mmCIF file of all heavy atoms in Angstrom:
data_model
loop_
_atom_site.group_PDB
_atom_site.id
_atom_site.type_symbol
_atom_site.label_atom_id
_atom_site.label_comp_id
_atom_site.label_asym_id
_atom_site.label_seq_id
_atom_site.Cartn_x
_atom_site.Cartn_y
_atom_site.Cartn_z
ATOM 1 N N SER O 206 63.843 138.497 -36.425
ATOM 2 C CA SER O 206 64.783 139.488 -35.840
ATOM 3 C C SER O 206 64.359 140.157 -34.637
ATOM 4 O O SER O 206 65.116 140.745 -33.922
ATOM 5 C CB SER O 206 65.043 140.553 -36.999
ATOM 6 O OG SER O 206 63.853 141.248 -37.317
ATOM 7 N N ALA O 207 63.038 140.130 -34.337
ATOM 8 C CA ALA O 207 62.467 140.753 -33.140
ATOM 9 C C ALA O 207 62.663 139.839 -31.955
ATOM 10 O O ALA O 207 62.446 140.211 -30.817
ATOM 11 C CB ALA O 207 61.021 141.095 -33.242
ATOM 12 N N ASN O 208 63.053 138.579 -32.163
ATOM 13 C CA ASN O 208 63.172 137.550 -31.095
ATOM 14 C C ASN O 208 64.641 137.211 -30.830
ATOM 15 O O ASN O 208 65.543 137.459 -31.699
ATOM 16 C CB ASN O 208 62.396 136.351 -31.549
ATOM 17 C CG ASN O 208 62.361 135.262 -30.504
ATOM 18 O OD1 ASN O 208 63.168 134.297 -30.592
ATOM 19 N ND2 ASN O 208 61.448 135.309 -29.590
ATOM 20 N N PHE O 209 64.964 136.746 -29.656
ATOM 21 C CA PHE O 209 66.283 136.331 -29.320
ATOM 22 C C PHE O 209 66.872 135.431 -30.336
ATOM 23 O O PHE O 209 68.079 135.493 -30.757
ATOM 24 C CB PHE O 209 66.352 135.622 -27.975
ATOM 25 C CG PHE O 209 65.953 134.210 -27.980
ATOM 26 C CD1 PHE O 209 66.937 133.208 -28.100
ATOM 27 C CD2 PHE O 209 64.588 133.823 -27.872
ATOM 28 C CE1 PHE O 209 66.615 131.914 -28.201
ATOM 29 C CE2 PHE O 209 64.250 132.514 -27.943
ATOM 30 C CZ PHE O 209 65.265 131.541 -28.065
ATOM 31 N N SER O 210 66.025 134.534 -30.948
ATOM 32 C CA SER O 210 66.554 133.552 -31.911
ATOM 33 C C SER O 210 67.169 134.232 -33.172
ATOM 34 O O SER O 210 68.096 133.735 -33.759
ATOM 35 C CB SER O 210 65.457 132.569 -32.264
ATOM 36 O OG SER O 210 64.327 133.260 -32.779
ATOM 37 N N GLY O 211 66.538 135.307 -33.569
ATOM 38 C CA GLY O 211 67.052 136.052 -34.688
ATOM 39 C C GLY O 211 68.246 136.886 -34.433
ATOM 40 O O GLY O 211 68.955 137.340 -35.381
ATOM 41 N N ASN O 212 68.502 137.232 -33.217
ATOM 42 C CA ASN O 212 69.653 138.050 -32.776
ATOM 43 C C ASN O 212 70.811 137.134 -32.532
ATOM 44 O O ASN O 212 72.073 137.505 -32.759
ATOM 45 C CB ASN O 212 69.275 138.858 -31.551
ATOM 46 C CG ASN O 212 68.401 139.940 -31.880
ATOM 47 O OD1 ASN O 212 68.764 140.892 -32.604
ATOM 48 N ND2 ASN O 212 67.243 139.986 -31.324
ATOM 49 N N LEU O 213 70.590 135.937 -32.007
ATOM 50 C CA LEU O 213 71.775 135.031 -31.637
ATOM 51 C C LEU O 213 72.256 134.148 -32.754
ATOM 52 O O LEU O 213 73.395 133.786 -32.775
ATOM 53 C CB LEU O 213 71.305 134.068 -30.472
ATOM 54 C CG LEU O 213 71.144 134.675 -29.083
ATOM 55 C CD1 LEU O 213 70.834 133.624 -28.057
ATOM 56 C CD2 LEU O 213 72.558 135.317 -28.673
ATOM 57 N N TYR O 214 71.386 133.918 -33.774
ATOM 58 C CA TYR O 214 71.745 132.921 -34.760
ATOM 59 C C TYR O 214 71.619 133.587 -36.183
ATOM 60 O O TYR O 214 70.943 134.611 -36.334
ATOM 61 C CB TYR O 214 70.857 131.717 -34.612
ATOM 62 C CG TYR O 214 70.882 131.068 -33.283
ATOM 63 C CD1 TYR O 214 69.843 131.250 -32.431
ATOM 64 C CD2 TYR O 214 72.023 130.385 -32.776
ATOM 65 C CE1 TYR O 214 69.918 130.680 -31.143
ATOM 66 C CE2 TYR O 214 72.084 129.901 -31.524
ATOM 67 C CZ TYR O 214 71.001 130.047 -30.645
ATOM 68 O OH TYR O 214 70.997 129.544 -29.429
ATOM 69 N N ASP O 215 72.362 132.950 -37.088
ATOM 70 C CA ASP O 215 72.276 133.396 -38.519
ATOM 71 C C ASP O 215 71.134 132.596 -39.200
ATOM 72 O O ASP O 215 71.215 131.405 -39.377
ATOM 73 C CB ASP O 215 73.636 133.013 -39.176
ATOM 74 C CG ASP O 215 73.704 133.415 -40.717
ATOM 75 O OD1 ASP O 215 72.780 134.114 -41.155
ATOM 76 O OD2 ASP O 215 74.681 133.036 -41.307
ATOM 77 N N VAL O 216 70.088 133.334 -39.501
ATOM 78 C CA VAL O 216 68.858 132.719 -39.901
ATOM 79 C C VAL O 216 68.442 133.044 -41.352
ATOM 80 O O VAL O 216 68.476 134.212 -41.792
ATOM 81 C CB VAL O 216 67.695 133.142 -38.960
ATOM 82 C CG1 VAL O 216 66.373 132.427 -39.348
ATOM 83 C CG2 VAL O 216 68.013 132.783 -37.507
ATOM 84 N N GLU O 217 68.179 132.020 -42.058
ATOM 85 C CA GLU O 217 67.502 132.205 -43.406
ATOM 86 C C GLU O 217 66.197 131.406 -43.326
ATOM 87 O O GLU O 217 66.092 130.473 -42.543
ATOM 88 C CB GLU O 217 68.444 131.698 -44.583
ATOM 89 C CG GLU O 217 69.630 132.625 -44.810
ATOM 90 C CD GLU O 217 70.324 132.358 -46.072
ATOM 91 O OE1 GLU O 217 69.864 131.488 -46.971
ATOM 92 O OE2 GLU O 217 71.410 132.894 -46.271
ATOM 93 N N GLN O 218 65.240 131.782 -44.148
ATOM 94 C CA GLN O 218 63.869 131.268 -44.083
ATOM 95 C C GLN O 218 63.369 130.816 -45.402
ATOM 96 O O GLN O 218 63.600 131.356 -46.452
ATOM 97 C CB GLN O 218 63.000 132.276 -43.477
ATOM 98 C CG GLN O 218 63.478 132.693 -42.051
ATOM 99 C CD GLN O 218 62.481 133.382 -41.164
ATOM 100 O OE1 GLN O 218 61.982 134.433 -41.599
ATOM 101 N NE2 GLN O 218 62.186 132.805 -40.052
ATOM 102 N N TYR O 219 62.647 129.733 -45.383
ATOM 103 C CA TYR O 219 61.945 129.264 -46.628
ATOM 104 C C TYR O 219 60.519 129.728 -46.553
ATOM 105 O O TYR O 219 60.009 130.234 -45.557
ATOM 106 C CB TYR O 219 62.020 127.682 -46.730
ATOM 107 C CG TYR O 219 61.585 126.930 -45.464
ATOM 108 C CD1 TYR O 219 60.205 126.479 -45.403
ATOM 109 C CD2 TYR O 219 62.436 126.587 -44.445
ATOM 110 C CE1 TYR O 219 59.814 125.692 -44.289
ATOM 111 C CE2 TYR O 219 61.994 125.846 -43.332
ATOM 112 C CZ TYR O 219 60.708 125.454 -43.232
ATOM 113 O OH TYR O 219 60.249 124.707 -42.183
ATOM 114 N N GLU O 220 59.837 129.688 -47.700
ATOM 115 C CA GLU O 220 58.492 130.215 -47.785
ATOM 116 C C GLU O 220 57.572 129.236 -48.508
ATOM 117 O O GLU O 220 58.024 128.187 -49.034
ATOM 118 C CB GLU O 220 58.596 131.499 -48.634
ATOM 119 C CG GLU O 220 59.432 132.594 -48.072
ATOM 120 C CD GLU O 220 59.500 133.869 -48.922
ATOM 121 O OE1 GLU O 220 59.114 133.788 -50.146
ATOM 122 O OE2 GLU O 220 59.913 134.906 -48.333
ATOM 123 N N VAL O 221 56.336 129.605 -48.480
ATOM 124 C CA VAL O 221 55.356 128.726 -49.243
ATOM 125 C C VAL O 221 55.262 129.285 -50.677
ATOM 126 O O VAL O 221 55.674 130.304 -50.953
ATOM 127 C CB VAL O 221 53.924 128.765 -48.587
ATOM 128 C CG1 VAL O 221 53.960 128.341 -47.156
ATOM 129 C CG2 VAL O 221 53.297 130.217 -48.737
ATOM 130 N N GLU O 222 54.705 128.397 -51.537
ATOM 131 C CA GLU O 222 54.633 128.793 -52.972
ATOM 132 C C GLU O 222 53.515 129.806 -53.053
ATOM 133 O O GLU O 222 52.450 129.719 -52.515
ATOM 134 C CB GLU O 222 54.264 127.504 -53.822
ATOM 135 C CG GLU O 222 55.410 126.548 -53.948
ATOM 136 C CD GLU O 222 55.005 125.446 -54.818
ATOM 137 O OE1 GLU O 222 54.043 124.618 -54.457
ATOM 138 O OE2 GLU O 222 55.592 125.349 -55.970
ATOM 139 N N ALA O 223 53.757 130.906 -53.806
ATOM 140 C CA ALA O 223 52.792 131.956 -53.975
ATOM 141 C C ALA O 223 51.467 131.526 -54.589
ATOM 142 O O ALA O 223 50.400 131.982 -54.163
ATOM 143 C CB ALA O 223 53.452 133.116 -54.764
ATOM 144 N N ASP O 224 51.456 130.653 -55.521
ATOM 145 C CA ASP O 224 50.277 130.283 -56.173
ATOM 146 C C ASP O 224 49.438 129.115 -55.497
ATOM 147 O O ASP O 224 48.309 129.019 -55.648
ATOM 148 C CB ASP O 224 50.544 129.837 -57.611
ATOM 149 C CG ASP O 224 51.533 128.631 -57.703
ATOM 150 O OD1 ASP O 224 52.326 128.434 -56.762
ATOM 151 O OD2 ASP O 224 51.511 127.941 -58.701
ATOM 152 N N THR O 225 50.100 128.364 -54.536
ATOM 153 C CA THR O 225 49.450 127.272 -53.971
ATOM 154 C C THR O 225 49.267 127.429 -52.419
ATOM 155 O O THR O 225 48.361 126.856 -51.825
ATOM 156 C CB THR O 225 50.120 125.887 -54.151
ATOM 157 O OG1 THR O 225 51.366 125.948 -53.504
ATOM 158 C CG2 THR O 225 50.352 125.705 -55.674
ATOM 159 N N GLY O 226 50.126 128.216 -51.837
ATOM 160 C CA GLY O 226 50.128 128.262 -50.371
ATOM 161 C C GLY O 226 50.785 127.068 -49.683
ATOM 162 O O GLY O 226 50.752 126.999 -48.432
ATOM 163 N N TYR O 227 51.392 126.147 -50.443
ATOM 164 C CA TYR O 227 51.946 124.988 -49.834
ATOM 165 C C TYR O 227 53.521 125.178 -49.792
ATOM 166 O O TYR O 227 54.098 125.891 -50.700
ATOM 167 C CB TYR O 227 51.609 123.796 -50.714
ATOM 168 C CG TYR O 227 50.304 123.160 -50.425
ATOM 169 C CD1 TYR O 227 49.174 123.709 -50.984
ATOM 170 C CD2 TYR O 227 50.230 121.961 -49.741
ATOM 171 C CE1 TYR O 227 47.989 123.075 -50.816
ATOM 172 C CE2 TYR O 227 48.955 121.360 -49.565
ATOM 173 C CZ TYR O 227 47.824 121.952 -50.109
ATOM 174 O OH TYR O 227 46.562 121.340 -49.919
ATOM 175 N N ILE O 228 54.171 124.475 -48.927
ATOM 176 C CA ILE O 228 55.612 124.406 -48.849
ATOM 177 C C ILE O 228 56.096 123.604 -50.033
ATOM 178 O O ILE O 228 55.617 122.494 -50.257
ATOM 179 C CB ILE O 228 56.099 123.914 -47.530
ATOM 180 C CG1 ILE O 228 55.797 124.870 -46.447
ATOM 181 C CG2 ILE O 228 57.560 123.602 -47.592
ATOM 182 C CD1 ILE O 228 56.012 124.260 -45.022
ATOM 183 N N ASP O 229 57.104 124.095 -50.721
ATOM 184 C CA ASP O 229 57.754 123.318 -51.777
ATOM 185 C C ASP O 229 58.965 122.641 -51.068
ATOM 186 O O ASP O 229 60.042 123.335 -50.894
ATOM 187 C CB ASP O 229 58.151 124.265 -52.896
ATOM 188 C CG ASP O 229 58.872 123.572 -54.028
ATOM 189 O OD1 ASP O 229 59.289 122.360 -53.915
ATOM 190 O OD2 ASP O 229 58.931 124.124 -55.186
#
């Protein structure tokens, strides 16, 4: 949201797994 990309576009974000630190 602090960047132009978060202001111009509708953004959702994925996360890493809490227990492994890897992307699921």
